[in-house]
Amino acid sequence: MTRPADLRFRATTAFQRHVVNPLARRIPFQTLLETTGRVSGLPRRTPLGGRRVGDAFWLVSEFGERSQYVRNIQADPRVRVRLRGRWHEGTAHLLPDDDPVARLRTLPRGNSAAVRLIGTGLLTVRVDLRG
């Protein structure tokens, strides 16, 4: 990763971790992805954007495999997604062969624009939902 991209990653993740995420997690209908911490074993909730299509929830990680929730998925793909205030269990799949820019065109515009603007290593994630 180039130095500017690394600086952008560090600045963005610090801002999200300490400012945006704590506030967004409190919004009742904010979409959340809950993974299991790969070291702690504790639930980790990340506010994010994406779209449900049938029994799948699609999202694009702005920093790919550097994102903490992606690293947690690699260790344990069992996740929960909160959609419109209701929790759904599922299994997450990382899709490095999917075109994340094309995928973003199918997802909500505001979040997709932010992911394209800030992201440095886009990665598509599909969560197969149960129930």
Side-chain angles (χ1 to χ4, degrees), residues 11-75:
T12 301
T13 56
F15 182 70
Q16 288 173 335
R17 183 177 300 125
H18 299 291
V19 179
V20 176
N21 291 357
L23 295 172
R25 277 192 290 265
R26 294 179 180 174
I27 299 171
F29 289 97
Q30 169 67 47
T31 300
L32 296 177
L33 175 70
E34 183 180 85
T35 60
T36 301
R38 64 193 175 283
V39 176
S40 69
L42 298 172
R44 300 295 182 198
R45 293 181 175 173
T46 305
L48 45 74
R51 173 168 283 145
R52 183 177 185 160
V53 179
D55 289 333
F57 180 77
W58 292 87
L59 66 117
V60 174
S61 169
E62 60 198 350
F63 296 115
E65 293 185 8
R66 291 189 77 184
S67 294
Q68 296 300 315
Y69 68 87
V70 170
R71 295 172 71 190
N72 290 341
I73 289 168
Q74 289 173 320

Side-chain angles (χ1 to χ4, degrees), residues 57-109:
F57 180 77
W58 292 87
L59 66 117
V60 174
S61 169
E62 60 198 350
F63 296 115
E65 293 185 8
R66 291 189 77 184
S67 294
Q68 296 300 315
Y69 68 87
V70 170
R71 295 172 71 190
N72 290 341
I73 289 168
Q74 289 173 320
D76 182 355
R78 294 172 300 170
V79 300
R80 293 193 322 149
V81 180
R82 187 177 77 179
L83 300 168
R84 297 187 178 122
R86 183 170 170 247
W87 286 101
H88 303 269
E89 293 185 358
T91 303
H93 304 276
L94 306 179
L95 304 173
D97 293 331
D98 190 67
D99 180 349
V101 174
R103 181 68 56 193
L104 284 169
R105 289 188 206 107
T106 70
L107 302 178
R109 287 185 182 169

